[in-house]
Amino acid sequence: MNDLFTVSNQVAVVTGAGSGIGRASALALSQSGASVVCGDIDTRNAEITKSLIVDGGGRALSVSVDVSKREQVGALIDMAIEEFGTLDIMCNIAGIMHQSTVLETQDSDLDRVLDVNLKGVFYGCQIAASEMSKRRSGSIINMVSSAIDAPAPGIVCYAMAKAAVAQLTKTLAIEMGKYNVRVNAVAPGFVVTAMTSRHFQLDDGSVDPERREAVVTSMGKMAPLRRVGEPEDIAGAVVYLASNAASFVTGQIIRVNGGVSMQ
Ligand code: NAP
């Protein structure tokens, strides 16, 4: 059974690998045997993730990428193939948050969120699927959100983009099935990362420990499992979807949320 859950000798590209869920996923894929290309717009943080992998005995590269630029996503995937010989696993994890109601939303905010959270994932899916279809093998994993399951007042741009990525995931899964390329998504609940720290940051950007405790406690109470998520909780689902254990799984949205929403 153990072999089912490894990704030994596979090559993974992870976007958003410099922080939070992306970093935890890159580390977990490496610990499960993959060579990992760590892409992020924050080059310094991507390099830190790479160093954590290499220091742990794994193989990794770090690459600066803005996923909203098609040519940069293409270069990221080309780098994986050039350096490690193939592309087996594509994790589209990079994302940004934006808070506004529908009425408050400016065109520039709408464009930026859709560019990164939707078009960035579309490019990752399209370019990876093209490569993987030639090899008749591969796993694409997109990061969506619990925001796809309910109205999301105050974060409309973010939630629209994530709902569209869920649709992209299922559509591409059908189109790629005949090539043995699997396409799935993970929908995290509340996970403590830089993205969610906005709920307990002070104006100067530092964390207010009391507010953090209050937010984590109240968000945790909303889940049947009575806690919020850690990035590693999400990384486990990423490794599963990448591995042979999920070889008959495609077009699925795996909700890793402590039970907050169930579909
Ligand atoms: P995070 O800690 O902020 O990590 C996101 C990473 O993506 C950051 O390093 C960020 O760099 C990078 N990034 C942003 N824009 C990029 C771009 N254009 N190109 C390449 N990299 C870019 O957030 P996280 O919580 O781990 O989120 C990871 C994913 O999980 C996101 O797609 C998010 O929507 C999703 N998610 C998170 C939660 C949660 O509760 N945390 C829940 C549901 C879904 P900068 O820091 O420089 O922006």
Side-chain angles (χ1 to χ4, degrees), residues 15-24 39-43 45-46 63-69 72-73 92-97 112 115-117 120-121 142-147 158 162 186-198 229 231 234 256:
T15 71
S19 179
I21 292 168
R23 174 174 286 170
D40 204 289
I41 202 164
D42 187 325
T43 316
N45 280 342
V63 179
S64 175
V65 63
D66 178 350
V67 296
S68 69
K69 306 278 189 284
Q72 294 191 24
V73 179
N92 294 301
I93 299 183
I96 55 172
M97 174 53 74
R112 180 72 190 140
D115 280 353
V116 176
N117 290 8
V121 177
N142 297 328
M143 207 46 63
V144 293
S145 165
S146 293
Y158 178 85
K162 293 297 184 183
V186 181
F190 187 97
V191 179
V192 180
T193 65
M195 181 177 281
T196 47
S197 65
R198 73 189 188 284
I234 312 305
V256 184

